[in-house]
Amino acid sequence: MAYEVGRTLRRPAPPEEISDWAGPSFDDVRLQNILAPQARLLALHTGTVHSEGPVWDRKSNRLLWSDVVNRRVLGWYPDGRVETMIDRTFFVNGNAFLPDGVTMVHCEHGRRCISRSGGQGDPEPWITHYQGKRLNSPNDIIVGADGAIWFSDPTFGISIPREGCLAEPELDHRSVYRFDPARHELQRMADFEQPNGLAFSPDGKLLYVSDTSRAAKGDKHEIQSFEVSAAGLSHRRVFCRVGKGIPDGFKVDKRGWIWSTADDGIHIFAPDGRELGMIPTPQTAGNCCFGGENMTRLFIAAETQLLAIDLAEPAL
């Protein structure tokens, strides 16, 4: 089914509270100062097939996220309305904003590329090949403080029919890349079984990447960390593993805590890898991000729903 750009999918209205939600669990008292025991899980929108790639649009005060299988990018506004922002995408997954705060970059499974847009209208392909060969199916994307674009390139979008287009990979590796827009230079930074989510520590000195080959008949369900320098990535190590499912997408807050998705919700880890607690979700959480006017809301893309929970203080 095709949706018109700008079509309203949810009219302005308050969010729905998840009535039978059990509440967060705490393994460390520090999390209770950020996430109150009485906090409520909210359903902001229902009707997606595979929610992914949430990103907060600071300039327009809205959340944008992907409905991968329905091939669209949606926008949620604080008054509760939801609109189609980009329609008939080529299976867009991850999204990010460039430093200008207006230009968006997208991970496309269908065209197997990184594309860019103004947040509405047809994205144009931008990064399509590595050393003359087509990328696999870019999945998640972030932008560094220096404006460089980092993205993961597993094979999910060319091996899972509903999430892209079946094809044989041209590359013999699944990697994380760094793209320098000024030089138009693409570097292969590290190889994985199936790279997925990625994020920087607050000071930019660490890069976290999830390897989620468990979702493709492998056994990886972990987040790895690297030290970042001008020379590249070093000191690779396993940071943490989730017990149920995979750490599909995750975000790092100003404290260096990692908020990671899993089959049963959002798991929060301290910088030393110790689990602080978790936020259960009624559906598998695919990705998350911080946002809201004061950056005090955690948005959770969970299969057919966009969920949210409010925090006691700004996350970023």
Side-chain angles (χ1 to χ4, degrees):
M1 180 179 181
Y3 294 83
E4 297 177 5
V5 172
R7 174 181 173 181
T8 299
L9 301 179
R10 186 179 191 271
R11 294 177 179 174
E16 299 177 7
E17 187 173 311
I18 304 296
S19 59
D20 58 350
W21 187 56
S25 62
F26 302 96
D27 298 309
D28 191 300
V29 68
R30 287 176 292 174
L31 184 59
Q32 292 183 334
N33 297 326
I34 307 302
L35 190 64
Q38 66 271 21
R40 292 291 171 256
L41 187 66
L42 307 174
L44 306 182
H45 179 66
T46 300
T48 54
V49 175
H50 177 34
S51 286
E52 256 286 6
V55 60
W56 182 251
D57 182 351
R58 290 175 181 261
K59 289 198 172 183
S60 298
N61 192 36
R62 62 184 179 181
L63 182 91
L64 300 177
W65 85 104
S66 300
D67 184 1
V68 180
V69 177
N70 275 331
R71 299 179 55 191
R72 52 186 176 168
V73 173
L74 307 179
W76 172 89
Y77 293 82
D79 65 4
R81 77 184 187 276
V82 172
E83 296 181 350
T84 302
M85 308 311 301
I86 305 176
D87 191 19
R88 289 171 287 184
T89 73
F90 289 87
F91 301 95
V92 165
N93 191 322
N95 304 286
F97 278 97
L98 295 186
D100 65 9
V102 175
T103 306
M104 287 188 73
V105 283
H106 315 276
C107 293
E108 294 193 8
H109 288 180
R111 290 190 291 191
R112 301 164 65 177
C113 70
I114 301 299
S115 61
R116 56 186 172 181
S117 74
Q120 191 164 328
D122 294 332
E124 60 172 353
W126 191 15
I127 308 166
T128 60
H129 291 71
Y130 175 70
Q131 295 185 343
K133 297 181 179 180
R134 293 187 70 181
L135 297 174
N136 296 316
S137 58
N139 188 285
D140 205 355
I141 188 166
I142 56 175
V143 179
D146 61 355
I149 298 167
W150 296 68
F151 65 93
S152 59
D153 188 37
T155 57
F156 298 130
I158 57 175
S159 61
I160 303 174
R162 77 173 200 152
E163 293 191 12
C165 303
L166 291 178
E168 289 298 319
E170 296 182 15
L171 298 167
D172 62 1
H173 52 86
R174 294 161 295 281
S175 309
V176 163
Y177 295 90
R178 179 186 185 273
F179 178 73
D180 183 338
R183 298 183 178 182
H184 209 268
E185 181 180 77
L186 183 63
Q187 294 176 277
R188 175 181 167 191
M189 305 303 293
D191 297 341
F192 301 80
E193 289 186 16
Q194 291 287 0
N196 204 318
L198 62 172
F200 287 110
S201 60
D203 60 8
K205 293 181 179 180
L206 294 175
L207 174 70
Y208 297 97
V209 181
S210 62
D211 196 331
T212 58
S213 68
R214 175 186 270 185
K217 300 182 179 179
D219 62 359
K220 299 286 189 183
H221 54 107
E222 63 196 31
I223 296 176
Q224 300 178 19
S225 69
F226 300 80
E227 293 184 11
V228 183
S229 69
L233 303 178
S234 61
H235 296 89
R236 182 176 193 162
R237 70 182 183 90
V238 174
F239 173 76
C240 69
R241 293 185 175 92
V242 298
K244 296 184 178 180
I246 57 173
D248 193 339
F250 57 90
K251 294 297 181 290
V252 180
D253 68 15
K254 65 182 181 181
R255 307 164 197 84
W257 295 1
I258 290 184
W259 301 63
S260 173
T261 60
D263 272 6
D264 54 353
I266 303 294
H267 292 253
I268 303 99
F269 299 90
D272 62 2
R274 182 179 305 174
E275 185 162 358
L276 303 173
M278 65 92 66
I279 303 166
T281 55
Q283 299 179 349
T284 297
N287 214 324
C288 61
C289 78
F290 301 108
E293 186 175 356
N294 299 313
M295 304 305 288
T296 54
R297 173 166 280 187
L298 176 70
F299 293 91
I300 305 168
E303 293 185 357
T304 69
Q305 294 183 308
L306 176 67
L307 307 172
I309 189 168
D310 292 320
L311 311 177
E313 61 181 68
L316 301 177

